[in-house]
Amino acid sequence: MTSLEDYNFEVSEDDEYYQLIGDSDYESDYSLTKDSKVSQNSHNSQDLQLRYKSLSRDELFADVMERVKFVGSITQLSLDSMIILLRLYGWNEEKLLEDYTENPRDILEKGGLIVPENGKRGIQLEKDYMCPICCDTYDKVSVFMMECGHVACINCYRSYLTSTLKKPRAPTCMSCNISITSSDIDQIFGNSDFSKKHICLSFETFINKHSKNYKWCPYTGCGNIIYSNNESTLNEMLKRHMIPEVICNNKHAFCFYCSTEVHSPCDCKIAQYWIEKVRDESTNLNWILNNTKPCPFCGTSIEKNGGCNHMTCQSCQSEFCWICDGRWSIHTDNYVCKFQNEKKDNRGVKSISKRFTDGYKMFIVHENSSDLDLKLAGTIESKIFTLQKELGISWIEGQFLSESIKILLHGRSVLKWSYTIGVFCDPSHNLTHILEQNQTMLSNAVESLSLKLQIKDPNVIIKSKAEFRDSSSLVNGRIAALERCCQELLVKGICKLESI
């Protein structure tokens, strides 16, 4: 039998939440070099780390151009032509190379790259010119012409190219299907920024096509991308129920496999199921939590339709108190319960609906608490500044507050997601009871640290520095114990979707 002692923990002296490792020798197929700065996820296991690289949009552009050059070296086509064809194929290099090898002329024609011989392309100055697109007449105007003989004023082309920005395919002549190249766009706008923008806006298609290796950061307005070709490690981590956590350049942490927030200690399979289930049923769940509860003796859902706390179950005829779930025979007042702090669950095993609603309730409680802690985090910098100004301490000396809020948020997240583990566990198993004990201990440690972080008096804060460190270390230890417990529940099959 597993006992609580199996989850005793060592209090770590290292309170670092995230570790970023640079100067790795990790290389991608196309663009990562030995000098590339690569981050490693060191939060999961000493022997399993997902290697990855965080990219800005500009870095992704350079990365994609390397891939374009690589494919172009095989087809012997120009960079402009390769960009057009890859956009035509939704950035699917393998399919493009396969089709191009079989029938290159057909592919070039589909891409609008077969042009009439001796035709002219480029900008020239025209006098007394009427544009066939806008029908405006100009005494003197710059026009753009293509080999097909179609000509339009520069203003029409600029408007047209702006309107095609978000289209996945490369733009074509306004009167036929001959493609406009990136060089043409640069010439029309007089700089290289617009053609780059044209390509960058097609990257959503590129990332969707290469979703195993590239992931957008899911945080609103971030725009960073994570690249990893460490598929064997990723698969092994998923097999071991580990979370492939990655951190973008803006310090946003998320799960590489799910593209959702970090959901440790819950594995990806259960997290995805939970998110979908809650999304579909959140309205009903909120109504159930606010208006119904299961009978504490038989589990039948009961709706409270009046102010009186005296309830009678129509299924088992048991009489109980709405507030504390205790037998009504020990109560004397229909509207006030003096046993509400002694509330107990009289059933040996919770019903499936009770487990789910209880898990959802605790998930929401800690999610809301996490939101409040995030607001608290926004005041930390000003607190450190106040400590510097009023007490003369250095910036480094005040960093114990920043570390404490990081650990607090991490603890909230682990606690929140641990309740999804509890929902899918065998409720009669000893390890499930140990999970609940670990959740209680982490919850107490987190609340204690949260209260300390709400102290406003600079003198009290600095005098409590040792207590901040002790509380932070305690939370770290409780997190480790809870994560080990959840890991064992998943590995041993005690926690599984089939249990609900």
Side-chain angles (χ1 to χ4, degrees), residues 381-448:
E381 285 299 322
S382 63
K383 284 186 178 181
I384 295 175
F385 178 76
T386 301
L387 292 176
Q388 290 177 280
K389 183 179 179 181
E390 296 188 10
L391 303 179
I393 70 167
S394 67
W395 180 84
I396 292 178
E397 288 178 300
Q399 287 308 296
F400 70 92
L401 288 174
S402 297
E403 293 304 316
S404 295
I405 196 69
K406 287 180 184 178
I407 293 167
L408 174 63
L409 292 171
H410 184 204
R412 287 283 190 204
S413 176
V414 170
L415 195 55
K416 177 179 76 173
W417 284 102
S418 72
Y419 285 102
T420 66
I421 296 283
V423 169
F424 302 104
C425 284
D426 177 358
S428 64
H429 199 282
N430 182 46
L431 198 54
T432 303
H433 300 310
I434 294 174
L435 168 67
E436 292 170 355
Q437 290 174 305
N438 273 286
Q439 287 171 327
T440 300
M441 288 189 289
L442 176 56
S443 180
N444 292 337
V446 161
E447 294 303 333
S448 176

Side-chain angles (χ1 to χ4, degrees), residues 188-377:
I188 291 168
F189 281 91
N191 59 69
S192 60
D193 292 341
F194 204 84
S195 65
K196 181 178 178 180
K197 189 176 182 181
H198 233 281
I199 296 169
C200 286
L201 285 172
S202 70
F203 284 170
E204 185 173 347
T205 305
F206 171 84
I207 289 177
N208 290 340
K209 187 64 67 177
H210 300 86
S211 58
K212 287 185 177 180
N213 302 112
Y214 289 88
K215 304 283 186 180
W216 288 109
C217 175
Y219 284 74
T220 304
C222 179
N224 280 309
I225 305 99
I226 297 293
Y227 169 73
S228 175
N229 69 347
N230 203 200
E231 290 185 37
S232 58
T233 299
L234 176 62
N235 292 333
E236 185 62 26
M237 291 179 76
L238 297 176
K239 184 179 178 181
R240 296 191 195 182
H241 306 282
M242 295 167 65
I243 294 82
E245 178 182 333
V246 294
I247 307 169
C248 78
N249 288 333
N250 288 333
K251 308 303 181 188
H252 298 144
F254 63 96
C255 174
F256 185 78
Y257 183 76
C258 302
S259 289
T260 59
E261 65 175 280
V262 176
H263 48 76
S264 175
C266 183
D267 69 8
C268 295
K269 184 178 180 181
I270 291 177
Q272 287 179 313
Y273 178 84
W274 177 263
I275 290 169
E276 291 174 7
K277 187 80 172 174
V278 168
R279 184 188 298 121
D280 293 341
E281 300 186 17
S282 60
T283 302
N284 291 334
L285 284 168
N286 287 328
W287 187 89
I288 289 171
L289 288 174
N290 292 328
N291 298 279
T292 73
K293 66 164 56 180
C295 169
F297 302 99
C298 70
T300 301
S301 290
I302 297 174
E303 178 182 356
K304 188 174 188 290
N305 56 9
C308 179
N309 292 324
H310 183 185
M311 311 299 295
T312 302
C313 176
Q314 298 301 310
S315 177
C316 67
Q317 301 303 311
S318 297
E319 297 181 58
F320 66 96
C321 172
W322 177 264
I323 301 297
C324 73
D325 291 347
R327 292 189 179 277
W328 188 254
S329 57
I330 63 174
H331 291 71
T332 57
D333 193 310
N334 285 345
Y335 294 94
V336 178
C337 175
K338 63 181 179 179
F339 302 104
Q340 55 185 318
N341 294 325
E342 303 174 15
K343 180 177 178 179
K344 294 181 180 178
D345 191 347
N346 294 314
R347 291 165 291 151
V349 178
K350 294 180 182 179
S351 66
I352 290 175
S353 62
K354 174 67 173 171
R355 281 157 53 197
F356 195 88
T357 52
D358 280 358
Y360 175 76
K361 181 178 180 180
M362 295 309 298
F363 185 92
I364 294 300
V365 163
H366 287 286
E367 187 167 61
N368 292 338
S369 296
S370 184
D371 291 339
L372 293 174
D373 288 336
L374 277 172
K375 292 180 180 178
L376 183 62

